[in-house]
Amino acid sequence: MTKKWMRLLAALLAISLVAASCGGDDDDDAVGSDAATDEAGADADADADDAADADDAADADDAADADDAAEEDDHDATEAEDVGNVEIDESANCAAAVELEVGDYAPSGHADVGMGFILTGGFNPHNNQAPAAFAYYGWVYEGLVRQDGVTGAIVPWLAKCFEISEAGDQITFFLHEGVTFHDGTPFNADAVIANVEFIQTAGPPEVLPPVAGQLASVESVVAVDEYTVQYNLNAPSAALVLSGLIRNSGFMVSPNSLGSAIANPSGTGPYAVDSESEDHTDINLAAFPDYWQPQLVGFETANIQGGLSAQARLDGLIAGQFDIATINNNEQELVPAFSANTTVRIGFVVADWLGEQIPQLANRDVRCAMAAALNRVGIQEAGGNAPESAIKQFAVSPTDYAYIDDLDSPDFDLELAQSLMDASGEEGFEFTNGHLPAGFWPVTASAWAGALAEIGITMNNEALDPPGAGEMFARLARAQHPVQIVAYNEPNALMSLIARTGTGFLNPSGVSPDGVVEFVEAAKSKTFEDGEADVAAAFKIMIEECIFIINHALTTTIGHQEDITGLQHTQGIPVSFWPHGVRKG
């Protein structure tokens, strides 16, 4: 039977909304109350709410008649319904809803996981943006939306569907009912509001500024009813907000754990933290018996060992000690029954393109010469990977958002690089690049440095100690390493542009080529699909200017976590990092 939406009947502005029953055999009755409206958002939306309430009061009798007619017609799914002051057409707006085919809760067995990364900040999903941290968070936390691991599209998750206003300045989420946090707290509109308010106001060390920044354009969040919540934005920026919600700012923490998530981690995910060593290197997870999609819970228990050397992780996989582990790509063939589905996307970013730190970077020919000196195929071969796995798009396949057929930079060509360098009129120069000390980082840095040396540019490679992706980005943002090898961890092409153009945090100069910011702003106010042309145009300008050598994904396959039993739904974590070694079966 089609799920029935309750109507909120307003009689007087001073009278609370009354919840009415849908009747029939459904148990999906919704309850709405003005008391559920977030107090912090009430002032910002007072005029709009008053107008909406007045309309509801004037139309109350008509609404009741419409309800009766809909009941007699078995609640036709194609009829537009009024939920609070939100017009929805269930068949149109909820077409992308997660269809629940709830199966049996029957977890079995145990998984051992070997990691090099240590979740030093514990299971507080708001205080660490390192790509590897998401390999921990995904067991415990979920968001309203997630990124589809195949298409790259943002799709509903804890929200069964969402609606974007025509102007792009409001997002309405319709939440799944019956979802609970690990501590038993119900997941509802109030829980969403509590999370948003905490992220926007808590500050460090609980919330990193970039995480709060993901919600910077959210002016208020209002509960329409118990399971409907509106994000009201201060500008047309729905695409930007949704991009943040598939990252840290979207992870839902139990309201009782906000501010104490390290000591009391509690999410809605399929696994709960059972115990954890003081140094966060030994973590035990247990299946959550009240998970809202019980059939997705595969293991009974899991143990994550962090801080292991690359050799220890490799040996553990070969010996069967680990079911899942991070290993280097060139070690794949050494592991029996290895799942080779891996994704590594790295880019070489010129942050200080105005040349304030490295004057020569102000010369376009120099930047383009450096781009032409990037040997993607050679880097892949050095890492033991197939040469054809080197690609140039940020979006890695034609099904990805913002994949553009002619959006590619030149192939490796040292003669072209030398010609561009000669045309620049610049002499050779020297700079230091910072990178992580293990895995493909040293191989990549060494290969690029060798090619740059051929055209008179000296790149000194500094392995970060202690290693940390956060420190890499911090050094790039303050132009300490104006040219740097960095891992892509933006969930889509638009987020990459936002981070690296205009006033983006990876653009210390704060300046972008003519037209780029305008295209980015236009895309932010549209859906991802409608904004694709703007994103493509902006990328073309950046590539033509060689502002940053951005489109150099080195491994193409997506979906490397599909073989992790019980975690299939986390494949949308929008970071190209998950365990590179997964034992099949």
Side-chain angles (χ1 to χ4, degrees), residues 1-4 24-26 74:
M1 178 179 290
T2 303
K3 185 169 285 189
K4 301 178 180 179
D25 297 328
D26 281 350
D74 196 25

Side-chain angles (χ1 to χ4, degrees), residues 67-359:
D67 274 342
D68 293 339
E71 288 284 332
E72 292 172 3
D73 291 336
D74 196 25
H75 229 72
D76 188 346
T78 64
E79 178 182 340
E81 297 185 301
D82 191 12
V83 180
N85 62 345
V86 181
E87 285 288 326
I88 67 164
D89 180 320
E90 191 171 45
S91 63
N93 292 285
C94 290
V98 176
E99 294 296 332
L100 292 183
E101 297 179 2
V102 177
D104 294 331
Y105 175 78
S108 62
H110 173 81
D112 286 300
V113 183
M115 297 282 289
F117 182 82
I118 299 175
L119 193 65
T120 53
F123 277 88
N124 172 6
H126 305 136
N127 71 354
N128 194 332
Q129 286 207 116
F134 287 78
Y136 287 85
Y137 296 151
W139 297 76
V140 176
Y141 297 107
E142 300 174 301
L144 298 175
V145 292
R146 66 183 180 95
Q147 190 172 30
D148 186 275
V150 176
T151 67
I154 293 180
V155 296
W157 192 246
L158 289 177
K160 59 188 172 186
C161 58
F162 60 88
E163 178 187 62
I164 300 174
S165 66
E166 186 173 349
D169 60 357
Q170 185 182 78
I171 313 172
T172 303
F173 295 96
F174 304 91
L175 311 180
H176 282 292
E177 300 176 27
V179 180
T180 61
F181 291 97
H182 299 152
D183 62 6
T185 302
F187 171 74
N188 52 27
D190 286 343
V192 174
I193 291 170
N195 272 267
V196 174
E197 288 186 340
F198 179 79
I199 292 169
Q200 289 183 322
T201 62
E206 289 294 330
V207 180
L208 290 178
V211 177
Q214 293 167 15
L215 297 179
S217 59
V218 177
E219 185 171 281
S220 65
V221 182
V222 178
V224 177
D225 62 34
E226 188 175 3
Y227 296 106
T228 307
V229 62
Q230 289 179 347
Y231 281 54
N232 299 306
L233 315 182
N234 55 28
S237 53
L240 178 59
V241 173
L242 288 170
S243 293
L245 292 182
I246 59 176
R247 301 185 68 189
N248 300 64
S249 65
F251 284 126
M252 291 288 123
V253 178
S254 169
N256 295 327
S257 293
L258 291 170
S260 61
I262 295 177
N264 303 293
S266 180
T268 63
Y271 297 90
V273 179
D274 185 56
S275 64
E276 186 177 6
S277 65
E278 187 174 350
D279 61 359
H280 308 290
T281 60
D282 188 350
I283 298 169
N284 291 298
L285 304 171
F288 179 39
D290 293 325
Y291 184 57
W292 60 291
Q293 296 194 70
Q295 76 281 0
L296 294 181
V297 185
F299 304 123
E300 286 183 290
T301 55
N303 174 262
I304 302 177
Q305 295 288 317
L308 301 177
S309 70
Q311 191 63 49
R313 301 192 304 273
L314 175 62
D315 292 344
L317 265 181
I318 294 174
Q321 175 187 357
F322 297 126
D323 302 291
I324 306 164
T326 54
I327 62 171
N328 297 337
N329 290 342
N330 59 357
E331 298 169 333
Q332 295 177 5
E333 300 303 321
L334 301 177
V335 182
F338 178 83
S339 170
N341 294 334
T342 62
T343 299
V344 178
R345 299 181 187 178
I346 65 173
F348 303 87
V349 180
V350 177
D352 183 34
W353 71 278
L354 288 183
E356 294 177 2
Q357 302 293 322
I358 302 177

